[in-house]
Amino acid sequence: HRIALFLKENNLTRKWIVDWRDLWTNNHLYKGLLLFHPYERYLETKFHKNADYITTVSEPLAQILRAKTSTPVAVILNGFDPEDYTTLSQEPFFTTIETKHIVYTGSIYKGKRDPSPLFIAIQNLKDKISSTQLKVVFAGANVEQVKELAAEYEVLDYCDFAGFLPRQDALRMQRDADVLLFLEYEAPGVEGILTGKLFEYLFAGPEIIGVGVTPETSAGKLMLETQKGEAFGKDVQKLEVKLLSLMKSQRVQKEPAPEAMQVIKQFEREIQAKKMLGLVEYLRVK
């Protein structure tokens, strides 16, 4: 953005679209250093003032940005590429069919993207579900934090830690999971967060359970609208019921209803890229 600002101020570019996949000064995960907040707000305001358009990933985030600037703001969603899944190896990622696998791919932030409610539910069901029957598999960063949490709730033997995986393996893991775990947390400003991970999950196939996600958030609404998952918030009792149900069920790739599939298809990256291209064409002739 600073490079783009230099180009725009020196008339080296005609048009500038500022794209925020995550918010900057209103970021819900990274608050930054207090000492730099005034300068960052000044710089962000300067970006917005010089930009011809601003884009972000959801309508709630767009509303936050519109309250800060008179520059128009459009929503260009995150998304997925269907080809990523159609080219995957058909070899199953998991070889133990007797074990139910709950899969999470991505980063963990203790107290924020936090699996604690799920760990508490598992802890409460130890007399009904064994560690050979259920595994929560984590692939991604901050594994040590998850291990500490799992140890704290005495469910470490119910967890597997895959670390960083090649993208193809991570997608196979998502495809072959019994359930996909999506983590977020309830806080002002978070209701508009729609990460790219959620769109991958929507297309991968298995059901999604959202922990720290409520039906009022953008992620929770999308899970319900696409009939692909359920938002549990921090409700441990509801998670316990879900886990017991999972133990009795056969894994089925539930195909969404046609109307839900139409909702999912709009998140293909090609469609979102065409929206951005349309915005570029609009600015070009403006």
Side-chain angles (χ1 to χ4, degrees):
H1 290 323
R2 293 195 65 158
I3 294 169
L5 176 64
F6 173 84
L7 295 173
K8 189 72 186 296
E9 287 184 326
N10 289 276
N11 296 315
L12 297 171
T13 189
R14 290 173 53 196
K15 303 293 182 180
W16 177 21
I17 299 172
V18 169
D19 180 65
W20 297 112
R21 296 292 89 184
D22 295 295
L23 297 186
W24 181 17
T25 61
N26 293 93
N27 194 289
H28 71 294
L29 289 175
Y30 301 103
K31 300 300 182 184
L33 298 174
L34 185 61
L35 179 65
F36 293 103
H37 286 182
Y39 176 68
E40 289 176 334
R41 285 193 291 268
Y42 159 77
L43 196 57
E44 182 183 64
T45 299
K46 198 170 184 181
F47 291 163
H48 292 167
K49 185 178 179 181
N50 282 274
D52 297 280
Y53 234 101
I54 300 167
T55 55
T56 191
V57 299
S58 72
E59 187 56 36
L61 295 192
Q63 290 174 9
I64 291 172
L65 291 168
R66 289 182 189 122
K68 302 169 72 170
T69 179
S70 60
T71 301
V73 181
V75 174
I76 307 288
L77 298 164
N78 284 313
F80 65 91
D81 290 312
E83 296 80 6
D84 286 348
Y85 297 87
T86 56
T87 58
L88 289 179
S89 164
Q90 294 305 304
E91 182 182 353
F93 188 90
F94 300 108
T95 57
T96 52
I97 59 174
E98 303 83 9
T99 305
K100 301 291 186 182
H101 294 95
I102 299 175
V103 167
Y104 178 86
T105 58
S107 299
I108 297 286
Y109 301 93
K110 188 176 181 180
K112 294 179 180 176
R113 288 180 187 165
D114 186 347
S116 293
L118 177 62
F119 287 168
I120 295 170
I122 294 171
Q123 183 186 47
N124 293 344
L125 294 174
K126 277 187 165 185
D127 60 333
K128 296 182 175 69
I129 303 173
S130 73
S131 60
T132 58
Q133 294 175 300
L134 176 67
K135 290 292 181 186
V136 187
V137 186
F138 294 92
N142 302 350
V143 167
E144 290 307 315
Q145 285 191 7
V146 190
K147 286 182 178 178
E148 289 173 10
L149 276 172
E152 180 182 334
Y153 293 110
E154 300 178 348
V155 294
L156 196 55
D157 52 336
Y158 286 82
C159 299
D160 281 338
F161 303 95
F164 282 105
L165 293 173
R167 178 164 171 74
Q168 293 281 304
D169 288 345
L171 293 178
R172 283 175 56 229
M173 181 187 286
Q174 291 177 16
R175 179 196 66 193
D176 296 340
D178 293 282
V179 173
L180 293 168
L181 173 62
F182 183 79
L183 300 175
E184 201 46 89
Y185 75 111
E186 301 170 61
V190 179
E191 61 273 6
I193 301 301
L194 281 173
T195 67
K197 187 61 58 186
L198 178 58
F199 297 101
E200 287 185 359
Y201 279 11
L202 289 174
F203 197 74
E207 181 184 7
I208 305 166
I209 59 174
V211 175
V213 180
T214 68
E216 289 72 39
T217 62
S218 294
K221 289 175 183 175
L222 190 53
M223 288 180 200
L224 295 173
E225 186 181 5
T226 57
Q227 304 172 24
K228 290 292 289 184
E230 189 173 350
F232 289 86
K234 298 179 181 178
D235 194 324
V236 172
Q237 286 187 328
K238 280 183 67 178
L239 284 166
E240 288 178 21
V241 172
K242 186 65 183 178
L243 290 174
L244 290 172
S245 173
L246 175 64
M247 291 301 104
K248 298 174 184 176
S249 66
Q250 294 292 322
R251 184 179 184 277
V252 177
Q253 287 278 28
K254 182 186 176 186
E255 289 296 328
E259 61 272 18
M261 197 62 211
Q262 285 302 310
V263 175
I264 294 173
K265 279 186 68 65
Q266 70 177 305
F267 305 123
E268 292 182 12
R269 284 205 181 98
E270 181 178 358
I271 292 175
Q272 297 304 314
K274 285 178 178 177
K275 289 183 181 179
M276 181 65 85
L277 182 59
L279 182 54
V280 170
E281 287 294 324
Y282 164 75
L283 290 176
R284 185 178 66 83
V285 300
K286 183 180 175 184

